[in-house]
Amino acid sequence: MMKSIVAGLAGTALLATVAYAQSPTTTTDKAPTAATTATTTSTTATGQWRTSKMDGLKVYNEANENIGTINDLLMDKNGDIKIAVIGVGGFLGMGEHLVAVPYEKLKFVNEAVAYTGTGTNAGAKPAATTTTGAATGTDKPAATTTSSTSKWYPDHAVFNASKDELKNMPEFKYSE
């Protein structure tokens, strides 16, 4: 029993010296690194949307019919979003037809889809507060929708096409 205790203490001491040897040494004669001098452009992001929240966003047409969901956003090398990949049809992602549409052709709506209450979608239009393309500081929702700015994404997108028109578009495939 005593041999086990001694062996355990020796092993602990050995591990402690290895951990101590790996500790970085500090010197005060070095210039500040880039990480310490980096600055941020803003500490708040009012009127901005998180792209991570755009994945799965429902897309409706002008007749207020659900035509698909946003699956991906593609940007150029400058960071500007150029293409929205929309998934049409399918069930839980199976059998879904992907199409690429120009991002600026999407209109984003902050309010929930308005239904007429008659059981049909005829005549029902998405709410009037829309944003075309990316949100900027000037694209703020109406004063009655203060909760939409805190959720960091719009309620849905509007694209002027029917589900059949999207299904007939060439299928988008990611290049390898």
Side-chain angles (χ1 to χ4, degrees):
M1 177 74 162
M2 187 62 139
K3 288 182 183 181
S4 298
I5 294 173
V6 171
L9 289 173
T12 303
L14 182 62
L15 289 174
T17 56
V18 170
Y20 180 75
Q22 291 180 355
S23 298
T25 59
T26 58
T27 59
T28 58
D29 60 341
K30 290 185 179 179
T33 62
T36 59
T37 59
T39 59
T40 60
T41 58
S42 176
T43 57
T44 61
T46 304
Q48 303 295 312
W49 293 329
R50 294 175 57 185
T51 57
S52 61
K53 297 289 187 179
M54 301 295 267
D55 186 27
L57 191 72
K58 291 183 179 183
V59 181
Y60 292 85
N61 61 14
E62 296 289 335
N64 211 21
E65 300 165 334
N66 186 343
I67 58 174
T69 59
I70 294 177
N71 283 22
D72 209 349
L73 298 173
L74 306 178
M75 66 177 117
D76 63 13
K77 292 181 182 185
N78 294 326
D80 297 326
I81 299 173
K82 297 295 184 179
I83 295 173
V85 179
I86 298 177
V88 184
F91 181 71
L92 297 175
M94 301 297 293
E96 192 171 49
H97 180 76
L98 298 179
V99 296
V101 300
Y103 183 72
E104 66 270 1
K105 298 289 184 182
L106 292 174
K107 290 185 250 172
F108 293 96
V109 181
N110 292 319
E111 294 85 15
V113 176
Y115 291 105
T116 59
T118 61
T120 65
N121 289 354
K125 296 278 185 188
T129 305
T130 60
T131 303
T132 303
T136 63
T138 60
D139 296 328
K140 294 181 182 175
T144 59
T145 60
T146 56
S147 64
S148 65
T149 59
S150 63
K151 69 179 184 175
W152 289 90
Y153 59 96
D155 182 74
H156 65 277
V158 177
F159 184 71
N160 192 17
S162 70
K163 189 178 274 193
D164 289 333
E165 288 172 333
L166 286 177
K167 284 182 181 179
N168 291 331
M169 288 177 69
E171 186 171 7
F172 174 80
K173 295 188 187 244
Y174 293 96
S175 61
E176 306 262 343

